[in-house]
Amino acid sequence: MTDRGIIPASGYGAALLRALKSFGLLRESRVGMIGAGLVLFWIIVAIFAPLIAPYHPTEQIEYDLLPGTTGPNGNFFLLGTDQRGLDILSRIIWGSRTVLIWAPLATLTAYVVGIVMGLAAGYLRGWVDDVLSRISDIILSFPVLVLYILIITTFGASKINIVIAITFASSPGIMRIVRGLVLDLRNRDYVAAAQTRGESAWHIMLVEILPNARGPLIVDACLRLGYVIITIGVLGFLGLGIPPPDPDWGGMINQSRQVAMEFPHMTLFPCIAISSLILGFNLLADGLREISLRD
Amino acid sequence: MSKKSKDKMHPYIPELVNKLRKGEVTRRDFLNTATLLGVSAGAAYAMAGLPAPGRKAHAAAKKGGNLRVSMNVKATDDPATFDWSEKGNVARHMTESLVRIGDDGVAQPVLAESWSASEDLKTWTFNLRKNATWSNGDAFGADDVIFNFRRWLDPKTGSSNQGRFSSMTTTSDTGNKDENGNAIMSTTEAGGALEKIDDHTVRFNLNNADLALPESMADYPALIVNRRFEDDGGDLIKNPVGTGPYTLKEFAIGEKATLVRRTDAPWWGGETYLDKISYIDHGDDPAAQVAALASDQVDTNYQTSIEQVGTIKNIADLEIYERVTAQTGVARMHVTAAPYDNKKLRQAIQACVDHDKMLKFVYRGRGGPAEDHHVAPVHPEYAELPKLKQDYDKAKKLLAEAGYADGIELRIDCVANPPWEQNACLALSEMVKPAGIDLKINIMPGGTYWDVWASTPFGFTAWTHRALGVQVLNLAYRSGVAWNETNYSNPEFDKTLDQAGGILDPNERRKVTRKLEEILQDDAIISQSLWRSVFVTANKRVKGLYAQVALEHHYNGVWLDG
Amino acid sequence: MLIFVGKRIGFMILTMVVVSILLFLLLELTPGNVATKVLGPYSSEEQRNLWLEAHGYFEPFYIRYFDWLGNFASGNFGDSVRFKVPVSEVLWPRLANTAILGIATFAVMIPLSLILGVLAGMREGSKTDRSISIVSIVTTSIPEFASAVFITAILVFWLKLLPGTSTMTYGFDIVQLILPAMVLIIYDFGYVTRMTRASMAEVMTTQYIRTAVLKGLPYRRVVMRHALRNALIAPFTVIMLQINWLLSGVIVVEFFFAYKGFGALLLEASLNKDIYLIEACAMVAVLVAVATQTIADIGYTYLNPRIRFS
């Protein structure tokens, strides 16, 4: 089996063209560009973490060094070291990996579940809609953070459990949005055409409806990514986040907070990192929304 | 037992004085042993040629005021089952212990006026204070003390004191079997262990010599409650009856505890300065109490974490009190659970640790390096062993012999707060890495962690200070005791421990302790992180305060200046 | 309208039942040794078993659930394992404290964000609009725990202006409310501002406003008389939903400032697996969620003439 056989090359080309086009559109929105820049910056940092991080993120070198100092062995610490002797810059760089792997993963699984539920509820209607809507109403009527805390305290703090908790708590919200979009789209001509062609319900939902609902969903996904990053940060802050020694921005803030009055830099840099990434996603969402309104 | 006069000095004392004069024992060893044997602190200091310790009367001391203390307020209903020093601190202002460990780390009399031991250290006579009264009108006496000991030794009470006073118990087969067919054993009070001589004299007849007996009576679960405690509902909060200078006015778990001066009768110890003591709970966030101290919302606190010391030093109104202690943390392994039942594996972990580096990174060097045997340099019987060295070749060899030549993945459970505990786990994880051990750290919130602290195969436990090394060895490493968290059971160790409790000569005792230390270190059941100093912060207006080794609050001599 | 409210109450009861069963099940999976929590880690096996039996823990799950349900319906919420008092004794005062914090926060945040939102939305793309939009998007991107650290560092440690914790040990003290409310406002005002701005901007582009401006009516009058009412419908819903958000949004702030409120209570209950307390808190949360949603829906219908008359 060759790669070429599966999807026609023209498919690739069209997809690429579309992606380029939406990126081109993004250029019309200044905030969108800034947002994309911030996000892209952190993605590049995360990808090249092993190359740019000067030290291993859990290597204990010398504690309490101020930014820009040279350590006892001639090691240079651009952002200083924390109270445990770990290089802050390296931890922020490696921490970007943690956040950019687990936050999007959690958001993605939430979207998969939410989209399937939303498509089913909006397209099939009837009892499926009733049941799914009730379930989502029930989950949504419960404070989100409390849900996270209960799930994490019951099943333990691990990356997978964080993903499960976020999926469980966010998918109903996504389902609502998808359902609303589907209700709007299900009476369109192309859906009717597909129905007369005799396409299966899932084919119609995934191939005909979903691609047309993607605009608002992408905007929502960007905003939601921001919230998920905050949530992972809050869990880290409450000591329920990604277990050490893996570097995690929320955890870094939580741990260095004890010394923040003496060495503000230990808290300040991870705060800037997490806020800039969230800001990136928020600006990106804003830019995308602006563009979609213009269409 | 031959004739004993309750006021007679223990026969060993003159010899001890002699040794001190000849320089064969140190002043510290002398003070410690002499006070344990019932020599009053004043007399012991005089014999050692030192100025007398104790509460100096402050000419400038002012009466009155409310001391506001930041500390977690936990359920404080029954002192016998206390498991946190904080509980003892609230209760200690109401209910007192027989003995306490003072500022100088030496046993001081509280409700026991004096005590004496037989030559073989198996019979101890305690003379109780005659002028102490309970806030319910009862006179304090031998009945109260006997009632408390009987309660502690009763397995139904579930008190950790049962292990503390194991020399007063016997263990027998109940005749029943558990699910696995093992006999269910029951530990109860030994016949004749408790003897009331008169209304103010109690004698303890022990199964084995126990020099640490007075020290054990100073631990926080050994606060003496009224003899009608159980009839009155067994709840100190609902029915705060005590002999102490204060009584409880307000109490809410997780919020506050307010104690006010007792008015019904004068306190036996004379007058205290403070009118009121208010404990304020700032939750599980250690940063909150620093914020409270900085903005003068509280006067002092329970403990300042090592990370906060620098911040506090930068605030002009605040003073830091430091004390070197035998408080420590151990990464302890269940010797009965795989893979930790493999001694080679445990020794491999031990060989990876650089204790000086551990102390530096986990505790900023404020304390001492530990040696994996839980006897501290501040303990009077401490014997110095050759220093443990980090040796990765040895670790790898041991690991291979244990059957893990390709490395092994382990997981340690650790409580989220205080931070130094997880930092110790982090440092351990880093240190074992080069040997091929991938140590994962499972951080748990306190509420969950304390469910598993004893049952997890590999966990990190913090231990508080105890005045004698044998005390903590008895509590934690003797076969079958309540706090034995390693499931360690070594008859030779137990026998040696019995022996150590009966030796009076500090130098002889040190030799036996050395053997105990070697056994524990060789079995490598714990990887001990460090000996830590403790820190207490107070506003400069608080006078007469000290950081007590076990973070106990002794506020009877504390006053507020302005 | 009555039918609508009745339906909502029915849904609320259904939600409460489902949520309470789920919570019971969740905690059933990890029993967490309730007896150990109550009696302490050094209690004997025998003691623990006696306690468990006396408190009905050996009964099957469904019997315990129905017992709880019956008690709950009759107003007996059970005893808290963590606080050793009946649940209602801790729940109501804590809820009242959070209500106070919530009112203080809203009293500042709502006028602030409505004014900023209207100012920004009035002239879309203007300098005012752009600066307000940027400020509100940046503040929304800073998590509460980050801003709390730095606000405390500046106002408590450096300038020594405000008390660092808000335990209210000696009675209510409004000064202690400032920091927690400030952190909440900084985090949340941007969101409401942006919603108001979007709504205002949309109204400003509608036909009748354009007509009014073209007719030569003074711009201020157009905004005050015609645009505002319509522009504030959407933010009203958003604000109602913020009440629901606040229940969990306060957790970080209450934890940080040691404020004895509902969020801190819920956190402590969850960390200590205090089942009856968790259940009671959850029921309160569901009640608040459904009630605010219902009020938002009714209010929306009432405020929006297009819906009312159609």
Side-chain angles (χ1 to χ4, degrees):
Chain A
M1 192 170 77
T2 57
D3 284 344
R4 196 177 294 187
I6 303 169
I7 303 173
S10 63
Y12 281 127
L16 198 67
L17 220 77
R18 263 208 307 277
L20 279 175
K21 199 180 150 211
S22 36
F23 192 73
L25 276 174
L26 194 62
R27 280 173 56 186
E28 287 169 27
S29 157
R30 193 139 49 109
V31 281
M33 281 305 287
I34 298 171
L38 281 170
V39 172
L40 208 64
F41 169 76
W42 284 117
I43 290 175
I44 290 168
V45 167
I47 290 172
F48 296 106
L51 298 178
I52 35 180
Y55 305 97
H56 190 272
T58 57
E59 185 191 350
Q60 299 188 305
I61 310 157
E62 180 66 49
Y63 57 85
D64 292 355
L65 293 182
L66 294 173
T69 37
T70 306
N73 307 330
N75 304 325
F76 182 71
F77 303 95
L78 184 63
L79 301 185
T81 58
D82 71 3
Q83 77 282 9
R84 295 175 302 178
L86 311 170
D87 178 43
I88 295 174
L89 177 64
S90 306
R91 280 184 78 72
I92 286 178
I93 290 171
W94 280 95
S96 69
R97 261 198 184 189
T98 315
V99 71
L100 280 171
I101 290 172
W102 295 97
L105 187 68
T107 315
L108 187 72
T109 51
Y111 260 88
V112 170
V113 175
I115 284 174
V116 170
M117 282 170 68
L119 285 173
Y123 183 73
L124 301 175
R125 306 294 306 266
W127 67 269
V128 178
D129 186 15
D130 284 345
V131 170
L132 290 175
S133 294
R134 282 298 146 256
I135 292 175
S136 73
D137 284 352
I138 286 170
I139 297 174
L140 284 175
S141 66
F142 202 76
V144 190
L145 195 52
V146 176
L147 260 183
Y148 294 136
I149 291 167
L150 277 178
I151 293 173
I152 302 291
T153 50
T154 307
F155 299 109
S158 74
K159 292 167 189 161
I160 294 296
N161 286 346
I162 289 174
V163 171
I164 292 171
I166 287 171
T167 305
F168 185 76
S170 329
S171 49
I174 298 164
M175 180 213 136
R176 266 195 189 174
I177 298 170
V178 176
R179 179 179 169 275
L181 291 168
V182 173
L183 285 180
D184 187 34
L185 294 171
R186 69 195 297 271
N187 299 325
R188 297 284 168 93
D189 295 340
Y190 53 84
V191 175
Q195 279 165 341
T196 39
R197 280 205 309 274
E199 303 281 7
S200 75
W202 282 109
H203 177 92
I204 295 171
M205 285 188 241
L206 293 173
V207 178
E208 304 293 341
I209 297 178
L210 187 58
N212 287 297
R214 70 175 191 281
L217 288 183
I218 291 170
V219 174
D220 178 72
C222 287
L223 282 179
R224 212 168 278 276
L225 261 168
Y227 289 126
V228 169
I229 294 166
I230 291 187
T231 304
I232 294 179
V234 167
L235 289 174
F237 177 81
L238 296 174
L240 300 169
I242 290 160
D246 285 352
D248 154 48
W249 292 346
M252 284 174 78
I253 296 169
N254 182 32
Q255 280 143 6
S256 61
R257 200 156 59 87
Q258 303 299 329
V259 288
M261 306 309 153
E262 197 187 2
F263 300 110
H265 71 279
M266 299 181 190
T267 315
L268 185 63
F269 293 127
C271 278
I272 290 174
I274 196 168
S275 302
S276 66
L277 182 59
I278 297 164
L279 182 65
F281 281 115
N282 284 345
L283 290 175
L284 191 58
D286 233 36
L288 290 170
R289 191 188 294 122
E290 209 175 295
I291 292 158
S292 69
L293 284 177
R294 248 179 244 166
D295 284 346
Chain B
M1 205 62 36
S2 57
K3 56 176 173 154
K4 274 188 291 347
S5 156
K6 61 182 178 184
D7 294 315
K8 209 180 128 194
M9 197 182 269
H10 191 276
Y12 182 69
I13 297 291
E15 196 184 329
L16 194 65
V17 174
N18 212 9
K19 288 196 170 183
L20 174 71
R21 297 229 171 95
K22 283 195 259 170
E24 287 168 14
V25 301
T26 62
R27 278 178 176 179
R28 207 184 61 172
D29 282 351
F30 171 81
L31 284 177
N32 206 291
T33 311
T35 48
L36 280 179
L37 290 173
V39 177
S40 75
Y45 272 77
M47 288 177 197
L50 293 167
R55 213 167 95 189
K56 293 164 202 79
H58 291 275
K62 291 194 185 90
K63 248 190 102 179
N66 172 16
L67 184 75
R68 302 159 302 165
V69 192
S70 172
M71 185 181 82
N72 286 137
V73 177
K74 297 168 187 271
T76 312
D77 34 9
D78 183 359
T81 59
F82 281 180
D83 41 18
W84 288 91
S85 310
E86 289 96 322
K87 299 182 177 183
N89 281 342
V90 171
R92 195 172 293 104
H93 304 294
M94 304 181 267
T95 53
E96 299 167 297
S97 51
L98 292 172
V99 179
R100 76 175 190 190
I101 308 300
D103 185 18
D104 50 1
V106 167
Q108 297 173 351
V110 183
L111 283 177
E113 214 165 33
S114 63
W115 58 87
S116 59
S118 66
E119 201 172 343
D120 63 358
L121 296 175
K122 282 185 173 178
T123 310
W124 289 76
T125 310
F126 277 73
N127 303 309
L128 307 177
R129 218 164 272 287
K130 295 192 179 71
N131 57 345
T133 52
W134 292 97
S135 54
N136 66 358
D138 291 351
F140 166 76
D143 291 336
D144 295 304
V145 176
I146 301 265
F147 166 79
N148 276 277
F149 271 87
R150 200 143 273 163
R151 227 179 133 238
W152 295 339
L153 301 180
D154 185 345
K156 281 210 249 351
T157 311
S159 173
S160 61
N161 286 336
Q162 207 198 37
R164 214 164 264 122
F165 302 111
S166 60
S167 54
M168 299 180 198
T169 57
T170 52
T171 302
S172 59
D173 195 332
T174 54
N176 299 322
K177 306 252 188 241
D178 69 7
E179 295 142 21
N180 303 324
N182 300 320
I184 296 177
M185 305 299 280
S186 169
T187 300
T188 50
E189 179 192 329
L194 307 172
E195 195 183 334
K196 175 182 171 182
I197 305 294
D198 62 42
D199 275 352
H200 290 97
T201 315
V202 180
R203 184 173 295 154
F204 301 98
N205 301 305
L206 313 183
N207 299 328
N208 48 279
D210 182 12
L211 179 62
L213 188 70
E215 306 267 17
S216 299
M217 290 181 183
D219 242 343
Y220 59 79
L223 295 171
I224 302 288
V225 295
N226 184 263
R227 56 185 170 270
R228 295 204 303 254
F229 181 72
E230 281 190 339
D231 301 334
D232 291 344
D235 190 332
L236 189 66
I237 299 309
K238 290 196 181 116
N239 192 20
V241 174
T243 53
Y246 294 93
T247 189
L248 195 66
K249 193 175 155 222
E250 285 175 301
F251 185 85
I253 293 172
E255 285 183 30
K256 61 181 166 186
T258 313
L259 296 128
V260 291
R261 195 200 302 277
R262 217 175 116 184
T263 48
D264 63 301
W267 178 52
W268 59 264
E271 293 239 308
T272 54
Y273 301 119
L274 300 167
D275 286 340
K276 196 169 157 189
I277 300 164
S278 308
Y279 286 101
I280 301 166
D281 192 321
H282 286 107
D284 288 334
D285 181 2
Q289 49 158 316
V290 179
L293 281 162
S295 50
D296 199 18
Q297 291 182 298
V298 290
D299 300 301
T300 179
N301 65 349
Y302 170 67
Q303 179 170 208
T304 294
S305 76
I306 180 72
E307 293 84 4
Q308 297 165 339
V309 171
T311 305
I312 302 275
K313 283 209 166 134
N314 290 340
I315 302 171
D317 300 335
L318 300 178
E319 184 99 56
I320 286 245
Y321 296 84
E322 176 175 358
R323 179 157 307 273
V324 178
T325 72
Q327 298 220 26
T328 185
V330 296
R332 99 287 176 288
M333 294 161 253
H334 261 189
V335 292
T336 46
Y340 308 104
D341 52 354
N342 191 329
K343 184 171 162 180
K344 291 258 162 53
L345 171 73
R346 303 198 304 261
Q347 286 177 328
I349 294 174
Q350 188 176 54
C352 294
V353 178
D354 176 343
H355 283 93
D356 290 319
K357 195 175 175 198
M358 182 77 92
L359 180 67
K360 183 181 166 200
F361 280 104
V362 177
Y363 221 71
R364 304 173 165 237
R366 302 290 277 267
E371 297 160 67
D372 295 352
H373 55 56
H374 217 149
V375 181
V378 297
H379 284 142
E381 67 270 59
Y382 170 79
E384 199 174 341
L385 298 184
K387 289 276 168 272
L388 291 168
K389 288 220 168 58
Q390 189 177 44
D391 184 345
Y392 285 121
D393 292 334
K394 186 177 154 200
K396 279 182 192 146
K397 197 169 143 261
L398 283 163
L399 208 56
E401 285 169 22
Y404 304 106
D406 301 331
I408 180 171
E409 190 178 301
L410 301 173
R411 197 183 79 153
I412 187 165
D413 287 328
C414 177
V415 72
N417 271 315
W420 75 267
E421 294 188 28
Q422 44 171 300
N423 290 345
C425 291
L426 175 77
L428 183 65
S429 162
E430 277 300 295
M431 285 177 187
V432 296
K433 204 181 269 174
I437 300 171
D438 181 12
L439 179 62
K440 299 258 185 272
I441 305 165
N442 180 33
I443 304 292
M444 304 168 87
T448 323
Y449 173 79
W450 291 107
D451 285 340
V452 302
W453 77 278
S455 61
T456 174
F458 194 15
F460 192 88
T461 316
W463 281 85
T464 188
H465 174 95
R466 292 199 165 73
L468 297 181
V470 287
Q471 255 180 303
V472 68
L473 297 184
N474 259 315
L475 275 174
Y477 306 102
R478 184 184 279 283
S479 310
V481 292
W483 286 0
N484 184 329
E485 50 170 0
T486 51
N487 291 349
Y488 186 59
S489 177
N490 183 341
E492 193 201 345
F493 179 82
D494 292 350
K495 215 177 87 212
T496 319
L497 195 53
D498 287 343
Q499 206 188 335
I503 301 172
L504 280 171
D505 184 332
N507 297 326
E508 285 303 311
R509 196 146 34 101
R510 191 165 290 125
K511 280 182 198 151
V512 181
T513 316
R514 184 186 189 90
K515 200 171 151 199
L516 290 168
E517 292 176 6
E518 283 165 352
I519 296 174
L520 272 187
Q521 199 180 61
D522 180 62
D523 276 336
I525 57 176
I526 53 171
S527 172
Q528 195 181 353
S529 52
L530 48 91
W531 298 109
R532 68 187 186 105
S533 289
V534 295
F535 306 90
V536 171
T537 305
N539 195 295
K540 284 187 175 148
R541 78 170 77 87
V542 181
K543 308 285 180 190
L545 189 84
Y546 52 81
Q548 202 263 0
V549 281
L551 295 167
E552 286 181 8
H553 288 170
H554 300 160
Y555 289 160
N556 297 341
V558 170
W559 53 282
L560 295 169
D561 190 17
Chain C
M1 169 95 162
L2 269 178
I3 298 169
F4 175 72
V5 173
K7 265 190 180 167
R8 279 301 171 91
I9 290 174
F11 166 70
M12 184 179 79
I13 291 169
L14 172 79
T15 309
M16 283 181 165
V17 171
V18 175
V19 167
S20 60
I21 291 177
L22 284 177
L23 286 175
F24 246 87
L25 275 173
L26 197 63
L27 290 145
E28 192 77 3
L29 291 174
T30 50
N33 283 327
V34 195
T36 321
K37 286 222 165 63
V38 179
L39 303 173
Y42 315 120
S43 52
S44 65
E45 191 70 37
E46 189 187 347
Q47 269 184 309
R48 275 178 241 157
N49 285 337
L50 279 173
W51 188 91
L52 287 172
E53 195 165 356
H55 291 79
Y57 277 87
F58 291 130
E59 302 281 345
F61 163 72
Y62 60 92
I63 293 192
R64 280 197 292 125
Y65 178 73
F66 282 115
D67 274 353
W68 173 81
L69 196 63
N71 284 334
F72 187 84
S74 60
N76 173 10
F77 296 175
D79 285 348
S80 157
V81 172
R82 162 84 172 93
F83 296 94
K84 312 231 166 171
V85 290
V87 165
S88 50
E89 257 178 56
V90 278
L91 181 63
W92 302 125
R94 294 291 192 109
L95 199 59
N97 285 346
T98 293
I100 293 170
L101 177 59
I103 290 168
T105 307
F106 277 32
V108 178
M109 184 182 84
I110 291 172
L112 178 76
S113 41
L114 289 186
I115 291 170
L116 289 178
V118 168
L119 281 177
M122 238 164 65
R123 288 204 174 87
E124 216 188 336
S126 67
K127 218 179 216 173
T128 324
D129 176 27
R130 254 181 285 157
S131 17
I132 290 174
S133 295
I134 286 175
V135 168
S136 58
I137 204 164
V138 169
T139 51
T140 318
S141 303
I142 303 173
E144 289 162 287
F145 55 85
S147 55
V149 172
F150 287 100
I151 288 174
T152 307
I154 295 167
L155 294 180
V156 178
F157 283 86
W158 187 33
L159 298 176
K160 298 189 186 298
L161 285 176
L162 290 168
T165 58
S166 313
T167 49
M168 311 264 174
T169 309
Y170 302 104
F172 179 75
D173 179 6
I174 196 152
V175 179
Q176 295 187 14
L177 217 49
I178 297 175
L179 281 179
M182 193 189 281
V183 172
L184 285 170
I185 293 165
I186 288 178
Y187 179 66
D188 204 31
F189 90 93
Y191 180 70
V192 183
T193 302
R194 276 146 53 84
M195 290 297 158
T196 314
R197 175 197 171 271
S199 173
M200 186 72 188
E202 200 190 325
V203 171
M204 292 306 284
T205 57
T206 51
Q207 202 56 51
Y208 73 98
I209 296 287
R210 280 189 194 169
T211 317
V213 176
L214 286 177
K215 268 201 312 203
L217 287 174
Y219 193 74
R220 259 187 70 175
R221 210 174 131 196
V222 175
V223 171
M224 299 300 279
R225 281 273 174 88
H226 304 279
L228 262 187
R229 183 190 159 121
N230 286 310
L232 292 184
I233 298 170
F236 169 76
T237 317
V238 170
I239 289 163
M240 287 315 291
L241 297 180
Q242 290 311 295
I243 297 178
N244 193 22
W245 167 80
L246 202 67
L247 273 191
S248 53
V250 290
I251 290 180
V252 168
V253 167
E254 291 186 349
F255 174 77
F256 193 94
F257 293 106
Y259 188 76
K260 305 294 172 191
F262 182 78
L265 183 72
L266 201 41
L267 180 66
E268 267 188 79
S270 318
L271 292 179
N272 287 290
K273 305 226 171 95
D274 193 342
I275 172 81
Y276 296 125
L277 190 53
I278 296 175
E279 288 280 5
C281 289
M283 296 306 104
V284 169
V286 171
L287 179 82
V288 171
V290 178
T292 48
Q293 182 70 54
T294 310
I295 296 171
D297 290 350
I298 293 171
Y300 191 75
T301 323
Y302 182 75
L303 286 171
N304 193 337
R306 272 169 298 179
I307 291 182
R308 201 164 19 145
F309 299 126
S310 65

